[in-house]
Amino acid sequence: MPRHSPAPTDTLADLRREIAPERLLTEPTEVAGYAHDDAEWADFADPVAVVLAESIDDVVATVRAAAASGLAVVPRGAGTGLSGGANAVAGSIVLSLERMTRIIEIDPEERLVVAEAGVLNDDLRQAVAAHGLWYPPDPASHRISTIGGNAATNAGGICCVKYGVTRDYVLGMTVVLADGEVVRLGRRTAKGVTGYDLTALMVGSEGTLGVIVELTLRLLPLDGREDRAIVGSFGSLEAAGDAVAAIGAAGIVPSALELIDRTCIEAVDAWQSLGLPHGVEAMLLARVDEVGAAGEALAAAVAERMSRAGGLTVERGASTEAADRLFLARRLAYPALERLGPVLTEDICVPRRRVPEMLARIQASARDHDVVIANIAHAGDGNLHPLIIAPEGDDAAKARAKLAFDRIVDDCRALGGTVTGEHGVGLLKLPGAAHELSPRVVELHRAVKQAIDPHGVLNPGKAFPV
């Protein structure tokens, strides 16, 4: 994908004619804060400039200026990504959509919402809830991540085991292409199969095919569910994994089934003093939301599988407050662990029946490489997040952490898994993706990229092996 020689001075002059001064950052101290997302382990470089877009026109102007001079454009939401997908590359403009926060339309009758890409996930959920509607995708970062970023990585979340991931709720979108042209993809109707599904192609493309500036999202009714919590504690990660496998084998689909281990529990409690239980190696946090007798029966079935797998305690009917506190601990695990040192985050996904073996292999990797690995997981769909911690400034520990990271990725693939379940390939998962995708499939990726972005303007080097 040939590109012109970068001409940042000319590009900045063009941008200054189109972008208001307060929305164009060029000082080194200003742009440095936008050089990488939360994946500081991945490579990054300070961008030439940062554009704080407030409209589609700002996005169009930025992409056109960059395309004309050969600079790259790195789209960015809130910067909460964990794979380096929003990390700046040399000779790039970071295009931040964090200020595009309008909720344009809520249609209760058609059960859809239209919103700009910078709207926070939680803000969107609260806005539609006021109309008796529910937007299910709920990544752990839902309070601080944007729906545009969620779409770019096809984010999942705690309830995705039953209700699906971001792609399942995107009806349509407005996208700025690599030449600055604006296109509208998808539909507003409940069904539609006209042409290729370019909307689904854009979801999960990590900003490499277009800049998503607006989304039309499908919603569900807020009512019609009765939450019941089941909490199991276990003496080992493997026992918790056995319970997960047993629940899946029984055909039970909980609305949430999350795992959190001792390291995470203690880190969260030391930080937030939530009164969490200590002295156990792992906990499973489950919810079912069927109504009436069906919900009771399902909760009993989940509890039975936890007990049979060796649960030390299995509590049904936990108070809403207690259950919410435990699920909050699950969401807070990553920032709590960051207080202990830089965290290298995995995002592997294995078949549910292989969860016990994958957890055992993660523990073996921690022992063999002498690193601390904490574990959280969307266990109900096999999406595990081993969190490898290296003390600040300990280069030897950081090197061992990288070896453990690579081994876990290899083990995941050996068990029939995939190297990323919801965070995206970004930069960190490129080596794993190169092994997972066949050469012919990589060629197909390149062909798609070449067709849509022939000069490699948009987020080059991300999402798939080049």
Side-chain angles (χ1 to χ4, degrees):
M1 296 178 208
R3 297 175 59 206
H4 309 297
S5 299
T9 303
D10 294 342
T11 306
L12 292 181
D14 290 342
L15 285 174
R16 288 190 177 100
R17 285 191 289 269
E18 300 286 343
I19 305 295
E22 67 273 13
R23 300 201 296 275
L24 178 62
L25 310 181
T26 58
E27 293 298 320
T29 54
E30 296 175 321
V31 302
Y34 288 82
H36 62 81
D37 58 21
D38 278 347
E40 58 184 284
W41 290 69
D43 292 337
F44 62 88
D46 284 349
V48 172
V50 176
V51 174
L52 305 174
E54 293 185 0
S55 68
I56 294 177
D57 289 343
D58 288 344
V59 176
V60 169
T62 302
V63 173
R64 284 180 175 168
S69 63
L71 295 180
V73 173
V74 178
R76 174 188 169 104
T80 61
L82 295 170
S83 64
N87 283 17
V89 298
S92 68
I93 299 170
V94 168
L95 175 57
S96 170
L97 283 77
E98 63 190 303
R99 295 188 178 185
M100 296 183 65
T101 58
R102 290 189 307 144
I103 296 177
I104 298 165
E105 177 188 359
I106 298 173
D107 187 333
E109 186 176 356
E110 295 298 330
R111 295 179 187 164
L112 61 82
V113 59
V114 181
E116 291 183 325
V119 174
L120 296 182
N121 181 293
D122 202 46
D123 289 347
L124 181 86
R125 289 161 66 89
Q126 291 184 39
V128 301
H131 295 264
L133 298 168
W134 179 41
Y135 179 64
D138 62 339
S141 60
H142 67 108
R143 288 193 175 91
I144 56 174
S145 63
T146 65
I147 59 165
N150 293 169
T153 60
N154 194 25
I158 286 176
C159 72
C160 66
V161 59
K162 180 174 182 179
Y163 289 101
V165 296
T166 301
R167 180 177 283 117
D168 299 307
Y169 295 89
V170 179
L171 292 170
M173 60 176 63
T174 300
V175 178
V176 177
L177 299 177
D179 60 0
E181 186 171 350
V182 179
V183 295
R184 287 173 174 79
L185 306 175
R187 63 190 195 279
R188 290 172 60 99
T189 53
K191 295 168 66 177
V193 291
T194 305
Y196 294 133
D197 193 349
L198 299 179
T199 303
L201 178 63
M202 286 291 173
V203 176
S205 64
E206 302 184 42
T208 62
L209 300 179
V211 183
I212 299 170
V213 293
E214 184 182 292
L215 289 151
T216 301
L217 302 168
R218 181 171 69 94
L219 304 172
L220 298 181
L222 187 59
D223 295 330
R225 291 178 300 279
E226 292 179 3
D227 267 339
R228 292 172 174 83
I230 310 97
V231 178
S233 62
F234 297 84
S236 69
L237 274 174
E238 290 90 338
D242 289 340
V244 172
I247 291 167
I252 299 169
V253 184
S255 57
L257 182 56
E258 297 291 303
L259 179 145
I260 180 170
D261 77 355
R262 174 180 54 82
T263 303
C264 294
I265 292 169
E266 293 177 356
V268 171
D269 216 32
W271 178 35
Q272 294 289 329
S273 301
L274 297 178
L276 302 174
H278 288 222
V280 299
E281 287 301 313
M283 298 188 72
L284 283 181
L285 318 176
R287 275 192 168 123
V288 297
D289 61 1
E290 280 72 8
V291 175
E296 281 297 314
L298 202 58
V302 171
E304 180 184 4
R305 267 66 181 185
M306 288 187 184
S307 296
R308 286 184 184 177
L312 302 175
T313 63
V314 179
E315 182 182 359
R316 280 190 56 199
S319 69
T320 300
E321 294 77 12
D324 287 346
R325 187 166 63 249
L326 289 167
F327 275 93
L328 176 61
R330 162 63 183 87
R331 293 187 185 276
L332 292 176
Y334 182 81
L337 291 167
E338 278 191 311
R339 299 172 71 246
L340 305 180
V343 177
L344 181 55
T345 306
E346 292 273 17
D347 173 39
I348 56 172
C349 194
V350 297
R352 285 181 289 268
R353 69 179 182 277
R354 310 307 291 269
V355 168
E357 184 175 354
M358 190 65 233
L359 289 170
R361 292 193 181 204
I362 291 167
Q363 288 189 301
S365 185
R367 288 192 302 270
D368 293 348
H369 294 288
D370 189 25
V371 292
V372 175
I373 302 182
N375 287 276
I376 54 178
H378 304 306
D381 53 18
N383 190 186
L384 310 182
H385 296 312
L387 307 170
I388 310 171
I389 305 165
E392 189 71 52
D394 190 335
D395 291 339
K398 192 169 183 177
R400 295 196 305 274
K402 186 61 172 63
L403 291 173
F405 180 96
D406 292 341
R407 174 168 157 182
I408 289 169
V409 169
D410 290 342
D411 284 342
C412 161
R413 290 178 41 255
L415 295 180
T418 182
V419 301
T420 174
E422 60 183 359
H423 293 170
V425 172
L427 292 171
L428 283 178
K429 295 300 180 72
L430 285 173
H435 287 99
E436 181 174 329
L437 303 175
S438 72
R440 181 63 177 135
V441 170
V442 172
E443 286 180 15
L444 293 175
H445 281 72
R446 290 173 182 158
V448 171
K449 175 71 169 174
Q450 176 69 22
I452 299 176
D453 180 14
H455 299 296
V457 173
L458 299 176
N459 218 9
K462 315 283 182 62
F464 69 95
V466 295

